[in-house]
Amino acid sequence: MLQFKKTLLGGIAPLLLSIALASPVIASDAHHHAHGKDHNFGAFNKDNVLLTPRGYREWVFVGAPVTPNELNDGKAAFPEFHNVYIDPTSWNHWKKTGEFRDGTVIVKELVSVGSKSAPSGNGYFAGEFNGIAAMVKDSKRFPNRPGNWAFFGFESYEAKEGAIQADEACAACHKDNAAQDMVFTQYYPVLRAAKPKK
Amino acid sequence: MLQFKKTLLGGIAPLLLSIALASPVIASDAHHHAHGKDHNFGAFNKDNVLLTPRGYREWVFVGAPVTPNELNDGKAAFPEFHNVYIDPTSWNHWKKTGEFRDGTVIVKELVSVGSKSAPSGNGYFAGEFNGIAAMVKDSKRFPNRPGNWAFFGFESYEAKEGAIQADEACAACHKDNAAQDMVFTQYYPVLRAAKPKK
């Protein structure tokens, strides 16, 4: 866990965020999709390390659990909202099959708690972006990882690529506790509702 | 507030959800967009009442505040996560201009707190869908509403159309407290980060 946090959080330059997110990912993917050509959203270096995802805030939102410090004795593993997204091609596959395809990219963006009170009541309201992590399913690139999922942390939003995480850092917990194929679908009604009824 | 809740929550048939959400909104919109034709996502009856939005879980996610009952003396106005989405055409406009265009549709989906403890820690995790509300900006349809925004509640996911809300029910609070043009951008880093720097 410590290792994970260490690689995940790093120097962040919010000024670059809007640039990083400016690429019209929905438009280009859906355009391809409309012509019958799905594509993979994960891009890798020659060592199968995931390049830093871009444009994921335009992917399909999955869920946003929040685990604040004060509910975890001041030592939350992830003291933020976790905004979780799935890439559009894999979302389309999920809607058809209820399975995560080879090539699925799921991004978790960490967002600080910015406010605990608002006109709508007391609770938790998002503040600022704190970093991202990602998991990728790929049986060819990651044949020996549990479920063929590899987990990546990112030093910063400006990092060129991620750092692959040891199985103990992420995969072990996902494998033991996630409801379907290493993904915590039990906390993601968006995924459950879109899953085909068999 | 009571009136709002009354029209918002009604009989819900989760079985119909996947059908309601099956339309490929991202694909069709972005396809149009790729050919330079944006379109409006709001559809209305002849009295300018918003038809129940569909496919909004494939729009652009904005934020998911949570205001649980136990943090509000058991009487939270909205004892759920509020998953908020903006339609893709208006998102593209926002990225270019930092303004909400005529035709903007923002949907708020209410999602119950399903769990308060998970392997990642104690906190709030989504459960089941509880209903939707929406706000639409349209200077021609709603010339006399504050900021030209109209607010709609929906009896259920199966309702054909919404019920327009009195200004006191929603608009007054948004007008007094929201950071930009009746929208609570102060709690939505996704919108802030995508806004052009002037």
Side-chain angles (χ1 to χ4, degrees), chain A residues 18 26 30-31 34 58 61 64-67 71-72 81 91 95 118-119 122-125 127-129 177 187 189 192-193, chain B residues 18 26-27 30-31 34 58 61 64-67 71-72 81 91 95 118-119 122-125 127-129 177 187 189 192-193:
Chain A
S18 58
I26 283 185
H31 183 65
E58 298 184 338
F61 170 70
V66 59
T67 48
L71 298 180
N72 293 279
F81 284 92
W91 165 254
K95 287 196 298 181
N122 299 317
Y124 295 96
F125 300 82
E128 303 297 335
F129 295 120
N177 298 292
Y187 306 127
R192 293 200 306 275
Chain B
S18 57
I26 283 184
H31 183 64
E58 298 183 339
F61 169 71
V66 58
T67 48
L71 299 179
N72 294 279
F81 283 92
W91 165 254
K95 288 196 297 181
N122 298 319
Y124 296 96
F125 300 83
E128 304 297 336
F129 295 120
N177 298 290
Y187 307 127
R192 293 201 304 276

CSV table of all heavy atoms in Angstrom, one decimal, chain A residues 18 26 30-31 34 58 61 64-67 71-72 81 91 95 118-119 122-125 127-129 177 187 189 192-193, chain B residues 18 26-27 30-31 34 58 61 64-67 71-72 81 91 95 118-119 122-125 127-129 177 187 189 192-193:
chain,number,residue,atom,x,y,z
A,18,SER,N,-5.8,21.0,-18.1
A,18,SER,CA,-6.7,21.3,-19.2
A,18,SER,C,-6.1,20.9,-20.5
A,18,SER,O,-6.8,20.5,-21.4
A,18,SER,CB,-7.2,22.7,-19.2
A,18,SER,OG,-6.0,23.6,-19.3
A,26,ILE,N,-13.9,11.1,-26.6
A,26,ILE,CA,-15.2,10.6,-26.9
A,26,ILE,C,-15.5,10.7,-28.4
A,26,ILE,O,-15.9,9.7,-29.0
A,26,ILE,CB,-16.3,11.4,-26.2
A,26,ILE,CG1,-16.4,11.0,-24.7
A,26,ILE,CG2,-17.7,11.1,-26.8
A,26,ILE,CD1,-17.5,11.7,-24.0
A,30,ALA,N,-16.0,7.3,-30.6
A,30,ALA,CA,-17.3,7.0,-31.0
A,30,ALA,C,-17.4,7.2,-32.5
A,30,ALA,O,-18.2,6.4,-33.2
A,30,ALA,CB,-18.3,8.0,-30.4
A,31,HIS,N,-16.6,8.0,-33.1
A,31,HIS,CA,-16.6,8.2,-34.5
A,31,HIS,C,-16.1,6.8,-35.1
A,31,HIS,O,-16.7,6.3,-36.0
A,31,HIS,CB,-15.7,9.3,-34.9
A,31,HIS,CG,-15.6,9.5,-36.4
A,31,HIS,ND1,-16.7,10.0,-37.1
A,31,HIS,CD2,-14.6,9.4,-37.3
A,31,HIS,CE1,-16.4,10.1,-38.4
A,31,HIS,NE2,-15.1,9.7,-38.5
A,34,ALA,N,-18.8,4.2,-34.7
A,34,ALA,CA,-19.9,4.4,-35.6
A,34,ALA,C,-19.6,3.7,-36.9
A,34,ALA,O,-20.5,3.3,-37.7
A,34,ALA,CB,-20.3,5.8,-35.8
A,58,GLU,N,-13.6,12.0,-20.1
A,58,GLU,CA,-14.7,11.9,-21.1
A,58,GLU,C,-15.0,10.4,-21.4
A,58,GLU,O,-15.8,10.1,-22.3
A,58,GLU,CB,-14.3,12.6,-22.4
A,58,GLU,CG,-14.0,14.1,-22.2
A,58,GLU,CD,-13.7,14.8,-23.5
A,58,GLU,OE1,-13.2,14.2,-24.5
A,58,GLU,OE2,-13.9,16.0,-23.5
A,61,PHE,N,-18.2,7.2,-16.8
A,61,PHE,CA,-18.1,7.2,-15.3
A,61,PHE,C,-18.7,5.9,-14.7
A,61,PHE,O,-19.8,5.5,-15.1
A,61,PHE,CB,-18.7,8.4,-14.8
A,61,PHE,CG,-18.9,8.4,-13.3
A,61,PHE,CD1,-17.8,8.6,-12.4
A,61,PHE,CD2,-20.1,8.3,-12.7
A,61,PHE,CE1,-17.9,8.6,-11.1
A,61,PHE,CE2,-20.3,8.3,-11.3
A,61,PHE,CZ,-19.1,8.5,-10.5
A,64,ALA,N,-17.9,6.8,-7.7
A,64,ALA,CA,-17.0,7.7,-6.9
A,64,ALA,C,-17.1,7.4,-5.4
A,64,ALA,O,-17.6,8.2,-4.7
A,64,ALA,CB,-17.3,9.1,-7.3
A,65,PRO,N,-16.6,6.3,-4.9
A,65,PRO,CA,-16.5,6.1,-3.5
A,65,PRO,C,-15.6,7.1,-2.8
A,65,PRO,O,-14.8,7.7,-3.5
A,65,PRO,CB,-15.9,4.7,-3.3
A,65,PRO,CG,-15.7,4.1,-4.7
A,65,PRO,CD,-15.9,5.2,-5.7
A,66,VAL,N,-15.9,7.4,-1.6
A,66,VAL,CA,-15.1,8.3,-0.8
A,66,VAL,C,-14.7,7.7,0.5
A,66,VAL,O,-15.6,7.1,1.2
A,66,VAL,CB,-15.8,9.7,-0.7
A,66,VAL,CG1,-17.1,9.6,0.0
A,66,VAL,CG2,-14.9,10.7,0.0
A,67,THR,N,-13.5,7.7,0.9
A,67,THR,CA,-13.0,7.1,2.2
A,67,THR,C,-12.1,8.2,2.9
A,67,THR,O,-10.9,8.1,2.9
A,67,THR,CB,-12.2,5.9,1.9
A,67,THR,OG1,-11.2,6.1,0.9
A,67,THR,CG2,-13.0,4.7,1.4
A,71,LEU,N,-12.8,9.1,9.0
A,71,LEU,CA,-13.5,7.9,9.2
A,71,LEU,C,-12.5,6.7,9.2
A,71,LEU,O,-12.9,5.5,9.3
A,71,LEU,CB,-14.5,7.6,8.1
A,71,LEU,CG,-15.6,8.7,8.0
A,71,LEU,CD1,-16.6,8.3,6.8
A,71,LEU,CD2,-16.4,8.8,9.3
A,72,ASN,N,-11.2,7.0,9.1
A,72,ASN,CA,-10.2,5.9,9.1
A,72,ASN,C,-9.1,6.3,10.1
A,72,ASN,O,-7.9,6.1,9.7
A,72,ASN,CB,-9.7,5.7,7.7
A,72,ASN,CG,-10.8,5.2,6.8
A,72,ASN,OD1,-11.0,4.0,6.8
A,72,ASN,ND2,-11.4,6.1,6.0
A,81,PHE,N,-12.0,11.1,-2.7
A,81,PHE,CA,-12.9,10.5,-3.7
A,81,PHE,C,-12.1,9.7,-4.7
A,81,PHE,O,-11.0,10.1,-5.0
A,81,PHE,CB,-13.7,11.5,-4.5
A,81,PHE,CG,-14.8,12.2,-3.7
A,81,PHE,CD1,-14.6,13.4,-3.0
A,81,PHE,CD2,-16.1,11.6,-3.8
A,81,PHE,CE1,-15.7,14.0,-2.4
A,81,PHE,CE2,-17.2,12.3,-3.1
A,81,PHE,CZ,-17.0,13.4,-2.4
A,91,TRP,N,-16.6,-0.3,-22.4
A,91,TRP,CA,-18.0,-0.1,-22.0
A,91,TRP,C,-19.0,-0.7,-23.0
A,91,TRP,O,-19.9,-1.4,-22.5
A,91,TRP,CB,-18.2,1.4,-21.8
A,91,TRP,CG,-19.6,1.8,-21.6
A,91,TRP,CD1,-20.4,2.5,-22.6
A,91,TRP,CD2,-20.5,1.7,-20.5
A,91,TRP,NE1,-21.6,2.7,-22.1
A,91,TRP,CE2,-21.7,2.2,-20.8
A,91,TRP,CE3,-20.3,1.1,-19.2
A,91,TRP,CZ2,-22.8,2.3,-19.9
A,91,TRP,CZ3,-21.4,1.1,-18.3
A,91,TRP,CH2,-22.6,1.7,-18.7
A,95,LYS,N,-21.6,-3.7,-22.1
A,95,LYS,CA,-23.1,-3.6,-22.3
A,95,LYS,C,-23.6,-4.8,-23.1
A,95,LYS,O,-24.7,-5.3,-22.9
A,95,LYS,CB,-23.4,-2.3,-23.0
A,95,LYS,CG,-23.3,-1.1,-22.1
A,95,LYS,CD,-24.1,0.1,-22.8
A,95,LYS,CE,-23.5,0.5,-24.1
A,95,LYS,NZ,-24.2,1.6,-24.7
A,118,ALA,N,-22.4,22.1,2.5
A,118,ALA,CA,-22.9,22.8,1.4
A,118,ALA,C,-24.4,23.1,1.6
A,118,ALA,O,-25.0,22.6,2.5
A,118,ALA,CB,-22.6,22.0,0.1
A,119,PRO,N,-25.0,23.9,0.7
A,119,PRO,CA,-26.4,24.2,0.9
A,119,PRO,C,-27.2,22.9,0.9
A,119,PRO,O,-28.3,22.8,1.5
A,119,PRO,CB,-26.7,25.1,-0.3
A,119,PRO,CG,-25.4,25.8,-0.6
A,119,PRO,CD,-24.4,24.8,-0.3
A,122,ASN,N,-24.7,18.4,5.0
A,122,ASN,CA,-23.3,18.0,5.4
A,122,ASN,C,-23.0,16.7,4.7
A,122,ASN,O,-23.8,15.8,4.5
A,122,ASN,CB,-23.3,17.7,6.9
A,122,ASN,CG,-23.6,19.0,7.7
A,122,ASN,OD1,-23.1,20.1,7.4
A,122,ASN,ND2,-24.4,18.8,8.7
A,123,GLY,N,-21.7,16.6,4.3
A,123,GLY,CA,-21.3,15.4,3.6
A,123,GLY,C,-19.9,15.6,3.0
A,123,GLY,O,-19.1,16.3,3.6
A,124,TYR,N,-19.7,15.1,1.8
A,124,TYR,CA,-18.4,15.2,1.2
A,124,TYR,C,-18.5,15.7,-0.2
A,124,TYR,O,-19.3,15.2,-1.0
A,124,TYR,CB,-17.7,13.8,1.2
A,124,TYR,CG,-17.4,13.4,2.6
A,124,TYR,CD1,-18.2,12.5,3.3
A,124,TYR,CD2,-16.3,13.9,3.3
A,124,TYR,CE1,-18.0,12.2,4.6
A,124,TYR,CE2,-16.0,13.6,4.6
A,124,TYR,CZ,-16.9,12.7,5.3
A,124,TYR,OH,-16.6,12.4,6.6
A,125,PHE,N,-17.7,16.7,-0.5
A,125,PHE,CA,-17.8,17.4,-1.8
A,125,PHE,C,-16.4,17.5,-2.4
A,125,PHE,O,-15.4,17.7,-1.6
A,125,PHE,CB,-18.4,18.8,-1.6
A,125,PHE,CG,-19.8,18.8,-1.1
A,125,PHE,CD1,-20.0,18.7,0.3
A,125,PHE,CD2,-20.9,18.9,-1.9
A,125,PHE,CE1,-21.3,18.7,0.8
A,125,PHE,CE2,-22.2,18.8,-1.4
A,125,PHE,CZ,-22.4,18.7,-0.1
A,127,GLY,N,-12.9,18.4,-4.1
A,127,GLY,CA,-12.0,19.5,-4.1
A,127,GLY,C,-11.1,19.6,-5.3
A,127,GLY,O,-11.6,20.0,-6.4
A,128,GLU,N,-9.9,19.1,-5.2
A,128,GLU,CA,-8.9,19.2,-6.3
A,128,GLU,C,-8.4,17.8,-6.7
A,128,GLU,O,-8.4,16.9,-5.9
A,128,GLU,CB,-7.7,20.1,-5.9
A,128,GLU,CG,-8.1,21.5,-5.5
A,128,GLU,CD,-8.8,22.3,-6.6
A,128,GLU,OE1,-8.5,22.0,-7.8
A,128,GLU,OE2,-9.6,23.2,-6.2
A,129,PHE,N,-7.9,17.7,-7.9
A,129,PHE,CA,-7.4,16.4,-8.4
A,129,PHE,C,-6.0,16.1,-7.7
A,129,PHE,O,-5.2,17.0,-7.7
A,129,PHE,CB,-7.2,16.4,-9.9
A,129,PHE,CG,-8.5,16.6,-10.6
A,129,PHE,CD1,-8.8,17.6,-11.5
A,129,PHE,CD2,-9.5,15.6,-10.5
A,129,PHE,CE1,-10.0,17.7,-12.1
A,129,PHE,CE2,-10.7,15.7,-11.1
A,129,PHE,CZ,-11.0,16.8,-12.0
A,177,ASN,N,-11.4,-9.5,-3.1
A,177,ASN,CA,-12.6,-8.8,-2.6
A,177,ASN,C,-13.5,-8.3,-3.7
A,177,ASN,O,-14.7,-7.9,-3.4
A,177,ASN,CB,-12.2,-7.6,-1.7
A,177,ASN,CG,-11.4,-8.0,-0.5
A,177,ASN,OD1,-12.0,-8.6,0.4
A,177,ASN,ND2,-10.1,-7.8,-0.4
A,187,TYR,N,-19.7,-2.0,-5.9
A,187,TYR,CA,-19.9,-0.6,-5.5
A,187,TYR,C,-20.2,0.3,-6.7
A,187,TYR,O,-20.2,1.5,-6.6
A,187,TYR,CB,-18.6,-0.1,-4.8
A,187,TYR,CG,-18.2,-1.0,-3.7
A,187,TYR,CD1,-16.9,-1.5,-3.6
A,187,TYR,CD2,-19.1,-1.3,-2.7
A,187,TYR,CE1,-16.5,-2.3,-2.5
A,187,TYR,CE2,-18.7,-2.1,-1.6
A,187,TYR,CZ,-17.4,-2.6,-1.5
A,187,TYR,OH,-17.0,-3.4,-0.5
A,189,PRO,N,-23.0,0.7,-9.3
A,189,PRO,CA,-24.4,0.4,-10.0
A,189,PRO,C,-24.4,0.7,-11.5
A,189,PRO,O,-25.2,0.1,-12.2
A,189,PRO,CB,-25.3,1.3,-9.2
A,189,PRO,CG,-24.5,2.3,-8.5
A,189,PRO,CD,-23.1,1.7,-8.2
A,192,ARG,N,-23.4,-2.5,-13.0
A,192,ARG,CA,-24.5,-3.6,-12.8
A,192,ARG,C,-25.7,-3.3,-13.6
A,192,ARG,O,-26.3,-4.3,-14.2
A,192,ARG,CB,-24.8,-3.6,-11.3
A,192,ARG,CG,-23.7,-4.1,-10.3
A,192,ARG,CD,-24.3,-4.6,-9.0
A,192,ARG,NE,-25.1,-3.6,-8.3
A,192,ARG,CZ,-24.6,-2.6,-7.5
A,192,ARG,NH1,-23.3,-2.5,-7.3
A,192,ARG,NH2,-25.5,-1.8,-6.9
A,193,ALA,N,-26.1,-2.1,-13.7
A,193,ALA,CA,-27.4,-1.8,-14.4
A,193,ALA,C,-27.2,-2.0,-15.9
A,193,ALA,O,-28.2,-2.4,-16.6
A,193,ALA,CB,-27.9,-0.4,-14.2
B,18,SER,N,-31.7,-1.0,-17.6
B,18,SER,CA,-30.7,-1.3,-18.7
B,18,SER,C,-31.4,-1.0,-20.1
B,18,SER,O,-30.7,-0.7,-21.0
B,18,SER,CB,-30.3,-2.7,-18.6
B,18,SER,OG,-31.4,-3.6,-18.7
B,26,ILE,N,-23.4,8.3,-26.5
B,26,ILE,CA,-22.0,8.9,-26.9
B,26,ILE,C,-21.8,8.7,-28.4
B,26,ILE,O,-21.4,9.6,-29.0
B,26,ILE,CB,-20.9,8.1,-26.1
B,26,ILE,CG1,-20.9,8.6,-24.6
B,26,ILE,CG2,-19.6,8.4,-26.7
B,26,ILE,CD1,-19.8,7.9,-23.9
B,27,ALA,N,-22.0,7.5,-28.8
B,27,ALA,CA,-21.7,7.2,-30.2
B,27,ALA,C,-22.4,8.1,-31.2
B,27,ALA,O,-21.8,8.7,-32.0
B,27,ALA,CB,-22.0,5.7,-30.5
B,30,ALA,N,-21.3,11.9,-30.7
B,30,ALA,CA,-19.9,12.2,-31.1
B,30,ALA,C,-19.8,12.0,-32.6
B,30,ALA,O,-19.1,12.7,-33.3
B,30,ALA,CB,-18.9,11.3,-30.4
B,31,HIS,N,-20.6,11.1,-33.2
B,31,HIS,CA,-20.6,10.9,-34.6
B,31,HIS,C,-21.0,12.1,-35.3
B,31,HIS,O,-20.4,12.6,-36.2
B,31,HIS,CB,-21.5,9.7,-35.0
B,31,HIS,CG,-21.5,9.4,-36.4
B,31,HIS,ND1,-20.4,8.9,-37.1
B,31,HIS,CD2,-22.5,9.4,-37.3
B,31,HIS,CE1,-20.7,8.7,-38.3
B,31,HIS,NE2,-22.0,9.0,-38.5
B,34,ALA,N,-18.4,14.8,-34.9
B,34,ALA,CA,-17.3,14.6,-35.8
B,34,ALA,C,-17.5,15.2,-37.2
B,34,ALA,O,-16.6,15.5,-37.9
B,34,ALA,CB,-16.9,13.1,-35.9
B,58,GLU,N,-23.8,7.9,-20.1
B,58,GLU,CA,-22.7,8.0,-21.1
B,58,GLU,C,-22.4,9.4,-21.4
B,58,GLU,O,-21.6,9.7,-22.3
B,58,GLU,CB,-23.1,7.2,-22.4
B,58,GLU,CG,-23.4,5.7,-22.1
B,58,GLU,CD,-23.7,4.9,-23.3
B,58,GLU,OE1,-24.1,5.5,-24.3
B,58,GLU,OE2,-23.5,3.7,-23.2
B,61,PHE,N,-19.3,12.9,-16.9
B,61,PHE,CA,-19.5,13.0,-15.5
B,61,PHE,C,-18.8,14.3,-14.9
B,61,PHE,O,-17.7,14.6,-15.3
B,61,PHE,CB,-18.8,11.8,-14.8
B,61,PHE,CG,-18.7,11.8,-13.3
B,61,PHE,CD1,-19.8,11.7,-12.5
B,61,PHE,CD2,-17.4,12.0,-12.7
B,61,PHE,CE1,-19.7,11.8,-11.2
B,61,PHE,CE2,-17.3,12.1,-11.4
B,61,PHE,CZ,-18.4,11.9,-10.6
B,64,ALA,N,-19.7,13.8,-7.9
B,64,ALA,CA,-20.6,12.9,-7.1
B,64,ALA,C,-20.5,13.2,-5.6
B,64,ALA,O,-20.0,12.5,-4.8
B,64,ALA,CB,-20.3,11.5,-7.3
B,65,PRO,N,-21.1,14.4,-5.2
B,65,PRO,CA,-21.1,14.7,-3.7
B,65,PRO,C,-22.0,13.7,-3.0
B,65,PRO,O,-22.9,13.1,-3.7
B,65,PRO,CB,-21.8,16.1,-3.7
B,65,PRO,CG,-21.9,16.6,-5.1
B,65,PRO,CD,-21.7,15.4,-6.0
B,66,VAL,N,-21.8,13.5,-1.8
B,66,VAL,CA,-22.6,12.6,-1.0
B,66,VAL,C,-23.0,13.3,0.3
B,66,VAL,O,-22.1,13.9,1.0
B,66,VAL,CB,-22.0,11.2,-0.7
B,66,VAL,CG1,-20.6,11.4,0.0
B,66,VAL,CG2,-22.9,10.3,0.0
B,67,THR,N,-24.3,13.3,0.7
B,67,THR,CA,-24.8,13.9,1.9
B,67,THR,C,-25.6,13.0,2.7
B,67,THR,O,-26.9,13.1,2.7
B,67,THR,CB,-25.6,15.2,1.6
B,67,THR,OG1,-26.5,14.9,0.5
B,67,THR,CG2,-24.7,16.3,1.0
B,71,LEU,N,-25.0,12.3,8.8
B,71,LEU,CA,-24.3,13.6,8.9
B,71,LEU,C,-25.3,14.8,8.9
B,71,LEU,O,-24.9,15.9,9.0
B,71,LEU,CB,-23.3,13.7,7.8
B,71,LEU,CG,-22.2,12.7,7.8
B,71,LEU,CD1,-21.2,13.0,6.7
B,71,LEU,CD2,-21.4,12.6,9.1
B,72,ASN,N,-26.6,14.4,8.8
B,72,ASN,CA,-27.6,15.5,8.8
B,72,ASN,C,-28.8,15.2,9.7
B,72,ASN,O,-30.0,15.3,9.3
B,72,ASN,CB,-28.1,15.6,7.3
B,72,ASN,CG,-27.0,16.1,6.4
B,72,ASN,OD1,-26.8,17.3,6.3
B,72,ASN,ND2,-26.4,15.2,5.7
B,81,PHE,N,-25.6,9.7,-2.8
B,81,PHE,CA,-24.7,10.3,-3.7
B,81,PHE,C,-25.6,11.0,-4.8
B,81,PHE,O,-26.7,10.6,-5.1
B,81,PHE,CB,-23.9,9.2,-4.5
B,81,PHE,CG,-22.8,8.6,-3.7
B,81,PHE,CD1,-23.0,7.4,-2.9
B,81,PHE,CD2,-21.5,9.1,-3.7
B,81,PHE,CE1,-22.0,6.9,-2.2
B,81,PHE,CE2,-20.5,8.5,-3.0
B,81,PHE,CZ,-20.7,7.4,-2.3
B,91,TRP,N,-20.8,20.0,-23.0
B,91,TRP,CA,-19.5,19.9,-22.5
B,91,TRP,C,-18.4,20.4,-23.5
B,91,TRP,O,-17.5,21.1,-23.1
B,91,TRP,CB,-19.2,18.4,-22.2
B,91,TRP,CG,-17.8,18.0,-22.0
B,91,TRP,CD1,-17.0,17.3,-22.9
B,91,TRP,CD2,-17.0,18.2,-20.9
B,91,TRP,NE1,-15.7,17.1,-22.4
B,91,TRP,CE2,-15.7,17.6,-21.1
B,91,TRP,CE3,-17.2,18.8,-19.7
B,91,TRP,CZ2,-14.6,17.6,-20.2
B,91,TRP,CZ3,-16.1,18.9,-18.7
B,91,TRP,CH2,-14.9,18.3,-19.0
B,95,LYS,N,-15.8,23.5,-22.8
B,95,LYS,CA,-14.3,23.4,-23.0
B,95,LYS,C,-13.8,24.5,-23.8
B,95,LYS,O,-12.7,25.0,-23.6
B,95,LYS,CB,-13.9,22.1,-23.6
B,95,LYS,CG,-14.1,20.9,-22.7
B,95,LYS,CD,-13.3,19.7,-23.2
B,95,LYS,CE,-13.9,19.2,-24.5
B,95,LYS,NZ,-13.2,18.0,-25.0
B,118,ALA,N,-15.3,-1.0,3.2
B,118,ALA,CA,-14.9,-1.8,2.1
B,118,ALA,C,-13.4,-2.0,2.3
B,118,ALA,O,-12.8,-1.4,3.2
B,118,ALA,CB,-15.1,-1.0,0.8
B,119,PRO,N,-12.8,-2.9,1.5
B,119,PRO,CA,-11.3,-3.1,1.7
B,119,PRO,C,-10.5,-1.9,1.6
B,119,PRO,O,-9.4,-1.8,2.2
B,119,PRO,CB,-11.0,-4.1,0.6
B,119,PRO,CG,-12.3,-4.8,0.3
B,119,PRO,CD,-13.4,-3.8,0.5
B,122,ASN,N,-13.1,2.8,5.5
B,122,ASN,CA,-14.5,3.3,5.8
B,122,ASN,C,-14.8,4.5,5.0
B,122,ASN,O,-14.0,5.3,4.8
B,122,ASN,CB,-14.5,3.6,7.3
B,122,ASN,CG,-14.3,2.4,8.2
B,122,ASN,OD1,-14.7,1.3,7.9
B,122,ASN,ND2,-13.5,2.6,9.2
B,123,GLY,N,-16.1,4.6,4.6
B,123,GLY,CA,-16.5,5.7,3.8
B,123,GLY,C,-17.9,5.5,3.3
B,123,GLY,O,-18.7,4.9,3.9
B,124,TYR,N,-18.1,6.0,2.1
B,124,TYR,CA,-19.4,5.8,1.4
B,124,TYR,C,-19.2,5.2,0.0
B,124,TYR,O,-18.4,5.7,-0.7
B,124,TYR,CB,-20.1,7.2,1.4
B,124,TYR,CG,-20.4,7.7,2.8
B,124,TYR,CD1,-19.5,8.6,3.4
B,124,TYR,CD2,-21.5,7.2,3.5
B,124,TYR,CE1,-19.8,9.0,4.7
B,124,TYR,CE2,-21.8,7.6,4.7
B,124,TYR,CZ,-20.9,8.5,5.4
B,124,TYR,OH,-21.2,8.9,6.7
B,125,PHE,N,-20.0,4.2,-0.2
B,125,PHE,CA,-19.9,3.5,-1.5
B,125,PHE,C,-21.3,3.4,-2.0
B,125,PHE,O,-22.3,3.2,-1.3
B,125,PHE,CB,-19.3,2.1,-1.2
B,125,PHE,CG,-17.9,2.1,-0.6
B,125,PHE,CD1,-17.7,2.3,0.7
B,125,PHE,CD2,-16.8,2.0,-1.5
B,125,PHE,CE1,-16.5,2.4,1.3
B,125,PHE,CE2,-15.6,2.1,-0.9
B,125,PHE,CZ,-15.4,2.2,0.4
B,127,GLY,N,-24.8,2.4,-3.7
B,127,GLY,CA,-25.7,1.2,-3.7
B,127,GLY,C,-26.5,1.1,-4.9
B,127,GLY,O,-26.1,0.6,-6.0
B,128,GLU,N,-27.8,1.6,-4.9
B,128,GLU,CA,-28.7,1.5,-6.0
B,128,GLU,C,-29.2,2.8,-6.4
B,128,GLU,O,-29.2,3.8,-5.7
B,128,GLU,CB,-29.9,0.6,-5.6
B,128,GLU,CG,-29.5,-0.8,-5.0
B,128,GLU,CD,-28.8,-1.7,-6.0
B,128,GLU,OE1,-29.0,-1.5,-7.3
B,128,GLU,OE2,-28.1,-2.6,-5.7
B,129,PHE,N,-29.7,2.9,-7.7
B,129,PHE,CA,-30.2,4.1,-8.2
B,129,PHE,C,-31.6,4.4,-7.6
B,129,PHE,O,-32.4,3.6,-7.5
B,129,PHE,CB,-30.3,4.0,-9.7
B,129,PHE,CG,-29.0,3.9,-10.4
B,129,PHE,CD1,-28.8,2.7,-11.2
B,129,PHE,CD2,-28.1,4.8,-10.3
B,129,PHE,CE1,-27.5,2.6,-11.9
B,129,PHE,CE2,-26.8,4.7,-11.0
B,129,PHE,CZ,-26.6,3.6,-11.7
B,177,ASN,N,-26.3,30.3,-4.2
B,177,ASN,CA,-25.1,29.6,-3.7
B,177,ASN,C,-24.2,29.0,-4.8
B,177,ASN,O,-23.0,28.7,-4.5
B,177,ASN,CB,-25.5,28.4,-2.8
B,177,ASN,CG,-26.3,28.9,-1.6
B,177,ASN,OD1,-25.7,29.6,-0.7
B,177,ASN,ND2,-27.6,28.7,-1.5
B,187,TYR,N,-17.9,22.7,-6.5
B,187,TYR,CA,-17.7,21.3,-6.1
B,187,TYR,C,-17.4,20.3,-7.2
B,187,TYR,O,-17.4,19.1,-7.1
B,187,TYR,CB,-19.0,20.8,-5.4
B,187,TYR,CG,-19.5,21.7,-4.3
B,187,TYR,CD1,-20.8,22.2,-4.2
B,187,TYR,CD2,-18.6,22.1,-3.3
B,187,TYR,CE1,-21.2,23.1,-3.2
B,187,TYR,CE2,-19.0,22.9,-2.2
B,187,TYR,CZ,-20.3,23.4,-2.2
B,187,TYR,OH,-20.7,24.3,-1.2
B,189,PRO,N,-14.5,19.8,-9.8
B,189,PRO,CA,-13.2,20.0,-10.4
B,189,PRO,C,-13.2,19.6,-11.9
B,189,PRO,O,-12.4,20.2,-12.6
B,189,PRO,CB,-12.3,19.2,-9.5
B,189,PRO,CG,-13.1,18.2,-8.8
B,189,PRO,CD,-14.5,18.9,-8.6
B,192,ARG,N,-14.1,22.8,-13.6
B,192,ARG,CA,-13.1,23.8,-13.4
B,192,ARG,C,-11.8,23.6,-14.2
B,192,ARG,O,-11.3,24.5,-14.8
B,192,ARG,CB,-12.7,23.9,-11.9
B,192,ARG,CG,-13.8,24.5,-11.0
B,192,ARG,CD,-13.3,25.0,-9.7
B,192,ARG,NE,-12.5,24.1,-9.0
B,192,ARG,CZ,-13.0,23.2,-8.1
B,192,ARG,NH1,-14.3,23.0,-7.9
B,192,ARG,NH2,-12.2,22.4,-7.5
B,193,ALA,N,-11.4,22.3,-14.2
B,193,ALA,CA,-10.1,22.0,-14.9
B,193,ALA,C,-10.3,22.1,-16.4
B,193,ALA,O,-9.3,22.4,-17.1
B,193,ALA,CB,-9.7,20.6,-14.6
